[in-house]
């Protein structure tokens, strides 16, 4: 028995059910791993953000931009290291590090801000995996009784996702107002640039 279902484009698919081989939503297992990781990161002594900030940041990016989340998390811990590290006494080495940090900061913050329109205008990637067709809702059962097996998906309107992303974007804008000054303090700890010391005449 082969069952197929076409989900309308204006629906946000959350779960699937059906007989035998069929599609699976991998997003939820990834989300569980992320929640555990976010709790662990938030409880680290050197963590730049609290647990709820990690959770909100990840929940907003999890449906379309995991790489952006990884990049931003790496940048945040690098900035913590920069604040706590003893500045190098070598002028060239110190300046090269500052330039690298500036480029890394622009890349991380730019990627995060650039992800907002993608979330607001795009569709959530729920990681639909199917052995019978990539990203398709198809089920196969090798045997059936007198009554044919049933299959389907649980979904809500895509506007629920759009509303959630709008709320997340508003939260992120206020969070960035706090994070950018913090990042500047980390970047400028011990000085921002070291010029050449001219000999006294």
């Amino acid at each position: 028995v082969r069952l197929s279902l076409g989900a309308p484009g204006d629906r946000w698919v959350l779960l699937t059910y059906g007989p035998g081989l069929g599609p699976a939503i991998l997003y939820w297992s990834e989300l569980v791993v992320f929640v555990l990781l976010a709790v662990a990161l938030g409880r680290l002594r050197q963590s730049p953000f609290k647990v709820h900030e990690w959770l909100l940041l990840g929940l907003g990016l999890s449906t379309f931009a995991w790489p952006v989340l990884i990049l931003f998390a790496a940048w945040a811990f690098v900035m913590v290291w920069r604040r706590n590290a003893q500045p190098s006494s070598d002028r060239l080495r110190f300046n090269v590090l500052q330039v690298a940090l500036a480029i890394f900061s622009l890349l991380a913050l730019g990627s995060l801000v650039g992800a907002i329109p993608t979330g607001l205008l795009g569709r959530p990637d729920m990681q639909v995996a199917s052995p019978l067709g990539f990203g398709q809702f198809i089920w196969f059962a090798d045997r059936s009784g007198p009554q044919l097996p049933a299959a389907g998906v649980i979904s809500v309107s895509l506007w629920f996702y759009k509303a959630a992303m709008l709320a997340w974007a508003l939260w992120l804008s206020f969070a960035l107002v706090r994070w950018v000054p913090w990042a500047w303090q980390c970047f400028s700890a011990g000085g921002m640039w070291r010029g050449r010391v001219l000999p006294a005449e």
Side-chain angles (χ1 to χ4, degrees):
V1 179
R2 178 185 172 93
L3 306 171
S4 63
L5 174 67
D10 60 348
R11 304 297 294 178
W12 180 13
V13 176
L14 302 177
L15 293 171
T16 64
Y17 61 90
L21 291 175
I25 306 296
L26 303 182
Y27 169 79
W28 300 113
S29 58
E30 294 179 355
L31 185 63
V32 170
V33 174
F34 163 73
V35 169
L36 296 176
L37 182 60
V39 172
L41 288 176
R43 292 184 176 180
L44 290 177
R45 180 178 301 178
Q46 299 297 329
S47 176
F49 309 133
K50 299 178 181 179
V51 172
H52 73 276
E53 291 177 316
W54 283 115
L55 288 173
L56 288 173
L57 184 64
L59 288 175
L61 295 170
S62 61
T63 56
F64 65 94
W66 282 116
V68 174
L69 176 61
I70 296 173
L71 176 66
F72 186 81
W75 170 80
F77 279 100
V78 167
M79 297 308 291
V80 172
W81 169 82
R82 169 63 183 85
R83 181 189 61 190
N84 298 332
Q86 184 70 23
S88 175
S89 57
D90 183 81
R91 180 183 65 86
L92 180 59
R93 185 176 181 181
F94 179 84
N95 291 341
V96 169
L97 176 61
Q98 289 296 96
V99 172
L101 285 176
I103 296 174
F104 192 19
S105 299
L106 291 176
L107 180 62
L109 293 174
S111 299
L112 183 62
V113 173
I116 295 177
T118 304
L120 291 174
L121 302 177
R123 295 179 54 84
D125 183 7
M126 300 301 289
Q127 302 292 328
V128 180
S130 175
L132 304 176
F134 179 75
Q136 300 180 7
F137 300 104
I138 302 175
W139 293 263
F140 174 78
D142 58 353
R143 63 180 60 186
S144 173
Q147 185 175 1
L148 291 177
V153 301
I154 299 175
S155 66
V156 296
S157 172
L158 192 60
W159 284 106
F160 283 94
Y161 174 76
K162 300 293 186 182
M165 287 307 304
L166 178 60
W168 176 77
L170 292 175
W171 169 81
L172 182 60
S173 63
F174 287 106
L176 286 174
V177 172
R178 302 191 311 270
W179 294 346
V180 170
W182 165 81
W184 180 259
Q185 293 176 0
C186 295
F187 179 78
S188 59
M192 292 186 295
W193 190 262
R194 291 183 180 175
R196 183 184 299 271
V197 178
L198 298 177
E201 296 181 358

